[in-house]
Amino acid sequence: MQTKLTSILQEAKDQLAAATTPAETEEVRVRLLGKKGQLTEILRSMGSLDPEERKVLGQVANSVRSQIESLLEDKFTQVKNAEKDARFRAERIDVTEPGKQRPLGTKHPISITIDEISRVFMSMGYSIAEGPEIETVYFNFDALNAAPNHPSRDMTDTFYIDDEILLRTQTSPVQARTLLKQKPPIKIISPGRCFRVDTPDATHSPMFHQVEGLLVDEGVSMTDLKGTLDSFAKQLFGSDVKTNFRPHFFPFTEPSAEMDVSCFKCGGKGCRVCKGSGWIEILGCGMVHPHVLEVGGIDTEKYTGFAFGMGVERIAMLKYGVDDIRLFYENDMRFIEQFK
Ligand code: DAH
């Protein structure tokens, strides 16, 4: 048994010398000192020896065990350090290596235009309201006084999801939603995406953007509407532009108008941008129809309001001289980067 103990010690030395990782070292430990380890078995079998023999061998066995334990401890320290060193070496950062260029993106011209429009109205005290792009037929049409036979309600003009739900054709439903949610004075704009069944060409896209506006308070009149939108046009296109209001029809306003700005390109003399007329149409507007206010639970004896809506793509095309609406949606960086 003594020789066996000596050979176990030698084995431990050989095996530990060969081990290079903590896992391999652990295997050696289990093989010798584990529950079924070689030394453990010997120690366990000692109970059957006679007391004299047990005393002598017990001492040897304990000494072998403590030697192995200390060998194991040294080996664990060594292989763990080696492992750490290797990891540090592998993870070392070369601080002299040139940095990676991360190209910065740019704002999309439609976002830039929405920001510019919003900034003007926010400076006049308007806040931003939002509404869903997937809208109910009720808010998109009925609440806005659109007659059941209104042509824009047609299947061929509007993307219906089912009989009651559609992709909103305009941002105007946000008017109705805001009237239900807020009490006068109300002063909001609402930029967002709209959808209409249209074959894409240079000036049409089935998806486009609008900015809606709504103001409701006591004593609001058409002069407030004209003053506000004239000031907006001057801030957006330049202080020289003039505005002109032409009568028009919208179901949710009465009276309704379209606003033209004098051509900021030629100053009104007539050019390619204004198609020779000297004027450019940029938005629809009007005094909010009493039916719309009533749907929103507003006291029409006390309150009046005006509303307006403009196409963002159209304004961006005019401002930046873009001649094809489809360019906005191709995400060609050579185009988008020009608006930095
Ligand atoms: N929603 C109208 C459209 O898409 C634009 C519009 C016109 C909005 C007049 C308004 C308004 O708020 O008062 O053609």
Side-chain angles (χ1 to χ4, degrees):
M1 194 171 267
Q2 179 131 17
T3 41
K4 198 154 181 212
L5 283 167
T6 326
S7 89
I8 286 178
L9 182 58
Q10 189 53 48
E11 232 172 86
K13 286 179 180 163
D14 294 346
Q15 287 182 8
L16 284 176
T20 55
T21 64
E24 283 171 15
T25 312
E26 174 65 7
E27 275 173 29
V28 177
R29 191 193 67 76
V30 171
R31 226 177 290 138
L32 299 168
L33 304 181
K35 261 196 205 137
K36 292 187 180 146
Q38 286 168 280
L39 191 59
T40 317
E41 307 248 283
I42 291 184
L43 289 168
R44 207 176 285 142
S45 69
M46 290 213 156
S48 58
L49 298 175
D50 61 63
E52 212 33 52
E53 222 177 347
R54 193 179 339 162
K55 195 176 164 196
V56 179
L57 279 177
Q59 269 175 5
V60 179
N62 279 331
S63 144
V64 167
R65 183 171 56 187
S66 66
Q67 284 183 69
I68 291 177
E69 278 171 352
S70 102
L71 285 171
L72 276 166
E73 197 176 313
D74 291 349
K75 189 68 192 186
F76 269 122
T77 316
Q78 186 202 329
V79 290
K80 277 186 185 156
N81 282 341
E83 203 179 51
K84 212 191 288 171
D85 286 347
R87 205 178 66 225
F88 286 168
R89 227 172 299 125
E91 289 176 1
R92 200 176 72 199
I93 293 167
D94 179 359
V95 292
T96 65
E97 200 177 304
K100 287 199 185 82
Q101 277 249 349
R102 300 225 178 262
L104 256 194
T106 65
K107 257 198 183 162
H108 192 279
I110 294 301
S111 301
I112 294 174
T113 308
I114 288 177
D115 287 352
E116 285 180 2
I117 296 168
S118 302
R119 203 175 313 126
V120 172
F121 283 106
M122 277 155 76
S123 77
M124 295 195 240
Y126 287 71
S127 51
I128 309 240
E130 280 185 39
E133 289 166 9
I134 301 172
E135 187 49 284
T136 58
V137 171
Y138 175 77
F139 277 122
N140 195 83
F141 292 125
D142 301 279
L144 296 171
N145 205 34
N149 62 350
H150 195 277
S152 66
R153 300 179 75 129
D154 206 278
M155 290 292 288
T156 57
D157 285 316
T158 299
F159 292 108
Y160 285 90
I161 289 172
D162 59 31
D163 286 349
E164 268 148 46
I165 297 171
L166 44 68
L167 300 185
R168 67 177 177 189
T169 62
Q170 48 186 356
T171 44
S172 304
V174 183
Q175 284 189 38
R177 288 179 172 274
T178 305
L179 289 171
L180 283 170
K181 258 192 290 205
Q182 297 184 19
K183 291 204 173 358
I186 292 170
K187 218 174 166 183
I188 59 109
I189 56 164
S190 185
R193 221 172 261 159
C194 308
F195 308 83
R196 287 179 198 178
V197 181
D198 257 330
T199 308
D201 63 22
T203 53
H204 293 86
S205 160
M207 189 282 298
F208 57 99
H209 298 75
Q210 288 188 337
V211 175
E212 192 77 14
L214 173 69
L215 181 143
V216 179
D217 203 348
E218 283 179 57
V220 178
S221 73
M222 193 82 186
T223 56
D224 300 308
L225 162 71
K226 290 175 80 172
T228 300
L229 294 179
D230 182 75
S231 168
F232 160 70
K234 288 184 164 61
Q235 291 182 65
L236 197 71
F237 294 108
S239 51
D240 295 340
V241 304
K242 291 189 204 59
T243 52
N244 182 46
F245 291 79
R246 279 179 292 102
H248 200 80
F249 172 80
F250 296 105
F252 38 86
T253 42
E254 179 59 35
S256 307
E258 278 187 333
M259 183 178 88
D260 301 331
V261 293
S262 58
C263 181
F264 44 86
K265 191 85 178 184
C266 64
K269 287 195 283 295
C271 68
R272 208 171 59 89
V273 173
C274 57
K275 301 201 180 86
S277 76
W279 293 95
I280 301 169
E281 180 234 309
I282 62 157
L283 55 78
C285 57
M287 300 306 292
V288 183
H289 197 290
H291 285 174
V292 176
L293 292 175
E294 276 157 18
V295 167
I298 307 282
D299 179 356
T300 50
E301 292 297 316
K302 193 166 173 197
Y303 296 107
T304 47
F306 65 75
F308 53 88
M310 62 192 86
V312 178
E313 277 80 355
R314 184 173 157 75
I315 290 179
M317 288 169 82
L318 290 166
K319 256 197 99 149
Y320 297 120
V322 175
D323 57 11
D324 194 320
I325 195 171
R326 291 167 292 196
L327 288 166
F328 290 127
Y329 315 118
E330 283 168 359
N331 282 338
D332 185 334
M333 286 307 283
R334 291 169 302 180
F335 172 73
I336 293 173
E337 275 179 342
Q338 294 178 41
F339 301 89
K340 254 185 192 162

